[in-house]
């Protein structure tokens, strides 16, 4: 079974998707990590990823694997290098190129072959796995997401800056020519604003079990 989850930045997708995958015994794929790894690898090798053709070439050369939900590049776990401000910025920029998106999607298909998976990102329910058996769109207002970010990082930038950055990232994510953030018509929409992580996880797991039961009965 493929469980596909989309939603804007900072809505809690990764935390919840990981919990759901653990609970269901499914393989967890975070598509954002692939864009981050492409940006990170380029930054450390060549500097700022402004040469689109070289970004594509270097992305094509990377060998991705996922171990316990953590992304490895050429066999090395890179997960801890993927959340710097430079990677945040450049991952967003490299993800605009449809050719880079094709490379990421090809890797996602390869890694998920024959597996039960929970995959999350921005275009998972619409482009990457449009036939997923279970689709979810998580949402929360920019203000709620900024407040949550601030609660997690009280020593970080002030609320106004966090809110501004979230609104900018939403704009970028929605306005990509290919793979922009959209709500799939057949996705279950969950407004997480006033729900705990546990409550969202419970809703998702309940829906997965209901879908599994239905598929089982139909076969
Ligand atoms: O979910 P995240 O913040 O780790 O994603 C990193 C970047 O990759 C972000 O700018 C959005 C982009 N992204 C994308 O374009 N498509 C996806 N399926 C997942 C992430």
């Amino acid at each position: 079974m493929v469980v596909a989850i989309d939603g804007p930045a900072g809505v809690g997708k990764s935390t919840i998707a990981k919990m759901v995958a653990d609970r269901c015994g499914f393989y967890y794929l975070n598509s954002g990590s692939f864009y981050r790894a492409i940006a990170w690898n380029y930054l450390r090798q060549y500097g700022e990823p402004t040469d689109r053709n070289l970004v594509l070439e270097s992305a094509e050369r990377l060998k991705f694997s996922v171990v316990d939900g953590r992304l490895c590049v050429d066999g090395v776990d890179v997960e801890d290098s993927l959340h710097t401000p430079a990677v945040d910025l450049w991952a967003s920029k490299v993800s605009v190129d449809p050719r880079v998106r094709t490379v990421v999607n090809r890797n996602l298909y390869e890694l998920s072959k024959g597996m039960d998976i929970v995959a999350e990102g921005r275009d998972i329910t619409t482009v990457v796995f449009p036939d997923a058996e279970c689709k979810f769109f998580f949402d929360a207002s920019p203000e709620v997401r900024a407040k949550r970010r601030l609660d997690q990082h009280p020593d970080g930038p002030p609320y106004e800056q966090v809110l501004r950055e979230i609104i900018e990232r939403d704009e970028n994510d929605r306005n990509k020519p290919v793979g922009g953030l959209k709500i799939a018509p057949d996705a279950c929409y969950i407004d997480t604003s006033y729900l705990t992580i546990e409550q969202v996880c419970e809703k998702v797991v309940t829906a997965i079990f209901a879908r599994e039961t239905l598929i089982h009965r139909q076969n």
Side-chain angles (χ1 to χ4, degrees):
M1 168 179 280
V2 174
V3 177
I5 303 174
D6 284 322
V11 77
K13 290 189 303 289
S14 302
T15 309
I16 296 162
K18 231 178 279 171
M19 280 172 74
V20 170
D22 277 352
R23 244 174 244 187
C24 298
F26 287 8
Y27 188 64
Y28 167 64
L29 278 177
N30 177 348
S31 60
S33 299
F34 289 70
Y35 294 105
R36 289 177 176 276
I38 290 167
W40 164 79
N41 177 65
Y42 194 106
L43 281 162
R44 81 189 168 123
Q45 284 197 327
Y46 310 107
E48 297 195 339
T50 48
D51 180 337
R52 291 179 47 162
N53 290 333
L54 192 54
V55 171
L56 178 66
E57 259 174 53
S58 66
E60 279 172 336
R61 280 198 300 270
L62 299 179
K63 297 266 174 298
F64 292 107
S65 52
V66 176
V67 180
D68 293 333
R70 294 174 67 87
L71 187 63
C72 302
V73 170
D74 301 327
V76 177
D77 182 335
V78 296
E79 201 65 47
D80 290 338
S81 308
L82 302 183
H83 292 273
T84 65
V87 173
D88 286 351
L89 174 71
W90 287 102
S92 164
K93 292 189 190 280
V94 304
S95 71
V96 175
D97 188 335
R99 300 170 306 166
V100 172
R101 304 194 71 81
T102 302
V103 173
V104 169
N105 294 348
R106 196 166 56 227
N107 277 284
L108 295 172
Y109 299 138
E110 282 303 316
L111 289 167
S112 61
K113 258 188 202 157
M115 312 268 264
D116 286 321
I117 63 161
V118 178
E120 53 117 335
R122 306 292 190 285
D123 61 344
I124 302 300
T125 57
T126 53
V127 176
V128 185
F129 295 113
D131 299 326
E133 287 88 348
C134 270
K135 296 185 182 182
F136 300 91
F137 189 97
F138 294 173
D139 213 352
S141 69
E143 289 76 12
V144 166
R145 285 180 280 143
K147 171 84 174 44
R148 283 180 186 161
R149 181 69 46 98
L150 220 67
D151 290 345
Q152 278 168 354
H153 305 284
D155 301 329
Y159 174 79
E160 286 70 24
Q161 184 182 335
V162 176
L163 180 61
R164 200 171 49 243
E165 285 170 3
I166 284 178
I167 291 171
E168 271 169 29
R169 286 181 76 181
D170 284 359
E171 278 289 305
N172 285 344
D173 284 344
R174 292 206 175 96
N175 295 324
K176 276 177 196 144
V178 176
L181 179 66
K182 289 191 192 78
I183 307 176
D186 51 347
C188 166
Y189 178 91
I190 302 181
D191 183 345
T192 72
S193 299
Y194 303 104
L195 297 174
T196 63
I197 286 170
E198 185 52 46
Q199 284 170 326
V200 181
C201 185
E202 196 54 45
K203 275 183 188 289
V204 173
V205 171
T206 305
I208 293 171
F209 285 151
R211 189 83 178 99
E212 267 184 338
T213 308
L214 193 70
I215 293 170
H216 191 69
R217 282 213 192 114
Q218 282 168 346
N219 292 330

